[in-house]
Structures are given as C-alpha cells and as structure tokens.
Amino acid sequence: MTNSSLRKLGEYLHPYWKQVTIGVLTLLLVNGIGIYIPLLIRDSVDKLREALSFNQLFIYVLAVMGLATLMWLVRIYSRIVLFGVGRQIEFDLKQRVFEHLLTLEPG
C-alpha cells in the first residue's frame, strides 16, 4: 500500500481509535491464552510421569476448560468490536458518497 492509502485508512479509523485499540488488545489476549493452554497441558502431562493425583489432574482439566471458555468469550467480544468498527466505517463512507451525490446537478 502506498503512504496515501494508509493515511486515508487512518483518517477513517481515527474516530474509532478506542474501539480498534480494545479490539486489538482483546485479540492479543486471545493469542496469549491460545499459547498458554498447550503449555498448561504440557505441564500436566509432565506431572503425570510423576505421582499425580486425581484432584490435581481435575484442577488442570478445569483450568484448561476455563481458559478455553475465556478465550471463546474474548474472541467473540473482539469480533463484535472490530466488525462493528468496520460497519461504522462502511456507513460513514456510504454517507459521504450520498452527501456528494446530493451536491451534484440532476443532469
């Protein structure tokens, strides 16, 4: 993309910078959880080699299920926020086109 294209994109995104920031941060959180879950499973499998009680294993299972549920909820929230910004920008663009059409002569 050229510099002017990025500048135009920035102009459209600027009014929604808070929502975009929240959306990006939630995506980073989802990716962090997605990285942590396999590490947690690795730790539980490593502890299986030692003496691991049923209660400890159950805690690992609950932790993985809880993190997966949290990951799912945060991912849904990030999509709602970011797709909402996209819809708002689309509406703004349509509004600008419509306002420009109103300034043109009927012929």
Side-chain angles (χ1 to χ4, degrees):
M1 260 197 266
T2 64
N3 191 18
S4 63
S5 298
L6 287 176
R7 191 174 300 126
K8 282 184 183 180
L9 179 63
E11 290 172 6
Y12 292 127
L13 287 173
H14 182 70
Y16 308 103
W17 69 271
K18 289 180 185 177
Q19 292 94 329
V20 171
T21 303
I22 290 171
V24 169
L25 290 176
T26 54
L27 285 176
L28 289 174
L29 179 63
V30 164
N31 288 332
I33 295 171
I35 291 171
Y36 184 68
I37 289 175
L39 296 176
L40 189 62
I41 292 172
R42 180 196 64 191
D43 291 343
S44 66
V45 169
D46 288 345
K47 295 231 177 168
L48 277 174
R49 292 180 184 163
E50 303 166 5
L52 181 70
S53 69
F54 178 76
N55 290 336
Q56 290 173 328
L57 184 62
F58 188 67
I59 289 172
Y60 277 111
V61 169
L62 285 180
V64 169
M65 289 175 53
L67 286 172
T69 303
L70 178 66
M71 186 174 156
W72 174 68
L73 291 171
V74 172
R75 181 172 290 166
I76 287 175
Y77 179 73
S78 70
R79 287 183 179 183
I80 289 171
V81 170
L82 289 176
F83 290 170
V85 169
R87 284 193 298 272
Q88 287 291 63
I89 291 172
E90 178 186 5
F91 177 78
D92 292 346
L93 287 170
K94 286 180 181 179
Q95 193 66 29
R96 288 179 72 179
V97 169
F98 180 70
E99 289 170 1
H100 177 69
L101 287 175
L102 290 178
T103 63
L104 298 177
E105 293 184 21

